Amino acid sequence: MEEIKETVSVNPATGEIIGRTKENSVDDLKQAIIKARAAQKEWEKLSVNERGEHLILIRNYIAQNAERIALTISKDNGKTRIDALSTEVIPAAMAADYYAKKGKKLLARKKLSGGNLLFANKRSYVDRVPFGIIGIISPWNYPFAIPFNEIMMALISGNAVVLKVASQTQEVGKIIGEVINAGQLPEGLFAVLNIPGAIAGDAFIESGINKLFFTGSVPIGKKLMAKAAEKLVPVSLELGGNDAMIVCKDANLFRAATGAVWAGFSNCGQSCGGVERVFVEAGIYDDFMKMLREKVNNLRIGTDENFNTDLGSLTTKSQLQTVQKHIQDALDKGAVITAKAEPAGVNPNGLFHPAVILENVSDNMITMREETFGPVIAVKKVENIEEAIKSTNDSHLGLTASVWTTDRKKAHEIASRIEAGAVSINDHLMSHGLSETPWGGFKESGIGRTHSYIGVEEMTQPRTVIDDIMPGLQKDMWWHPHNKKVYDGLLGVVNFLYVKNLSVKVDGFINMLKLFFGSFVKN
């Protein structure tokens, strides 16, 4: 009898076992894809508005079960229920609503304006065509919101979806399945599987999906891209960040300090778009740091009870070890911890870590070069904004960034020079919740975009249709048979359109007309 393998889900804040999930095999994946392909053919035939009606059912189910979903996320991931509600449940409901209502416009046929007089008889348009089966490999840090947005974009675009959720958050995977099933989709159109991460990428690509969306680390993203290249499977990769925050001397310091705490420590710092590096102009450094230290020291870290906890636990033991390694490296190289909030009243089996501020940091520290992904903010004093911009861009990552100033003109000028996929002004770590704004990064932060009209386009392929509207036309001017008249007529096109000499232009026009009128004759 074949052994049934299962994944054990553990609450990272308590060490308590909260569920068990059967592991799926590669054969299970292949069967899911076969069913998905059949269902997708029928789903694609529905109008966008008809597909949107199913998304509204999904939205309504989220609203009716918001507390239960948030609690499941909290227990499976370690974040607080308020964090789960604000950064995952509410944005998911908003995403379902957005794509249901805006889908028709986002996917509308795009008519193309003519580019040249020579082709005045051509009318062109572009339709967006679904890829077919979208494979999604999602992470554990935002286990509900990240895959959910991609599922909504895929479905409204006419695709089927096969989802692999992170092994660490299988209970969230189950509730995603429950939520999507509330949309009364055709059987087989959506499947959620528990496939070990070590084999998932190769299995998805080999099993026949039409496009892969992956959120995770840079090294794994590169491996998946190399594997996908073997079969020319297109990929969209979101691979994390080491986000910078620039605080100008005219910033609202209270808002900037409060925003840094939110964006740096939300989800215990396990946010690819969270603040990790802060560059502060020298003139206001001391005042800013006084506020920031006070706010960090007052953070409450612990088990989520009575909604009076600011930070929960990290999600995985390996991530806890990474955070510890990065902090020790910084301390060994001269950094100083100037603010620290300790966990209180926590289970000793929980994966808790203090929230810390590092000062006196230098560019050779790991936390300044790589993604720490934990409750750590490194702050550096800069002499001016030029230095801040240079330091911000001195990274192989470029997911998001932020500029904090009361001078909006200056803010936009700074933003235009930052090498990142999204730049927020006087805010941070919120654009992922805006369905209308594209999400993705520069450099090694990834390839492609999700969310917004660009995300919908990533879920589809462009099909261009060119229609000749000239009645009576028998052939195009450049068709066979070729002769001197054809040559002179085509040269006449160039001379008429682009040569400045009037006599040459007139001769060219005459030769072009001769050739054009000959196109109505059968010979």
Side-chain angles (χ1 to χ4, degrees), residues 297-472:
N297 287 331
N298 288 330
L299 284 172
R300 298 162 298 178
I301 305 174
T303 305
D304 184 23
E305 296 178 1
N306 303 319
F307 307 103
N308 292 323
T309 302
D310 300 311
L311 273 66
S313 72
L314 281 87
T315 306
T316 72
K317 185 176 181 180
S318 63
Q319 193 56 44
L320 175 61
Q321 293 169 342
T322 296
V323 173
Q324 293 168 338
K325 175 184 174 182
H326 283 207
I327 292 175
Q328 190 59 53
D329 171 81
L331 296 177
D332 290 344
K333 293 174 180 175
V336 179
I337 295 176
T338 60
K340 190 174 188 179
E342 294 280 3
V346 299
N347 189 307
N349 295 318
L351 302 177
F352 291 92
H353 190 281
V356 301
I357 295 295
L358 292 173
E359 294 185 66
N360 196 33
V361 295
S362 56
D363 293 338
N364 65 335
M365 297 174 182
I366 299 175
T367 193
M368 296 296 284
R369 310 304 306 174
E370 304 292 338
E371 184 177 48
T372 297
F373 220 57
V376 182
I377 297 178
V379 188
K380 185 177 182 180
K381 183 191 299 185
V382 294
E383 291 304 315
N384 50 50
I385 293 302
E386 289 300 317
E387 183 183 348
I389 295 172
K390 182 180 179 181
S391 296
T392 294
N393 291 337
D394 183 22
S395 174
H396 68 100
L397 300 170
L399 185 56
T400 80
S402 59
V403 182
W404 301 74
T405 172
T406 53
D407 184 339
R408 280 192 161 74
K409 182 179 179 181
K410 179 171 72 174
H412 287 281
E413 193 278 329
I414 294 172
S416 71
R417 299 170 60 193
I418 292 177
E419 298 167 357
V423 182
S424 298
I425 296 172
N426 296 323
D427 210 337
H428 203 117
L429 193 60
M430 41 68 65
S431 66
H432 192 275
L434 301 178
S435 298
E436 67 273 19
T437 60
W439 177 259
F442 287 12
K443 298 182 276 193
E444 289 192 357
S445 280
I447 291 176
R449 295 292 185 273
T450 59
H451 299 207
S452 184
Y453 72 96
I454 297 180
V456 170
E457 289 180 353
E458 290 268 5
M459 295 288 177
T460 59
Q461 302 182 80
R463 179 174 58 211
T464 305
V465 177
I466 306 99
D467 183 16
D468 193 305
I469 64 170
M470 184 67 71

Side-chain angles (χ1 to χ4, degrees), residues 189-246:
L189 188 71
F190 172 80
V192 55
L193 301 175
N194 176 25
I195 298 178
I199 65 170
D202 287 0
F204 265 63
I205 292 165
E206 294 287 348
S207 297
I209 61 168
N210 299 111
K211 187 167 184 178
L212 176 65
F213 285 75
F214 170 78
T215 303
S217 70
V218 173
I220 298 300
K222 289 180 177 180
K223 290 179 181 179
L224 286 176
M225 189 172 182
K227 183 66 178 179
E230 296 175 7
K231 290 184 172 292
L232 291 181
V233 175
V235 295
S236 178
L237 308 174
E238 197 270 88
L239 306 179
N242 187 14
D243 285 10
M245 171 178 175
I246 296 175

Side-chain angles (χ1 to χ4, degrees), residues 138-200:
S138 63
W140 48 256
N141 63 323
Y142 289 89
F144 189 80
I146 288 178
F148 186 87
N149 274 272
E150 294 170 358
I151 294 166
M152 292 299 98
M153 287 180 278
L155 291 178
I156 199 65
S157 302
N159 296 285
V161 177
V162 178
L163 168 67
K164 175 252 184 298
V165 296
S167 299
Q168 299 87 343
T169 51
Q170 285 298 309
E171 298 309 300
V172 175
K174 292 173 185 175
I175 209 160
I176 289 175
E178 179 185 321
V179 168
I180 301 302
N181 286 337
Q184 301 176 17
L185 305 177
E187 184 178 356
L189 188 71
F190 172 80
V192 55
L193 301 175
N194 176 25
I195 298 178
I199 65 170

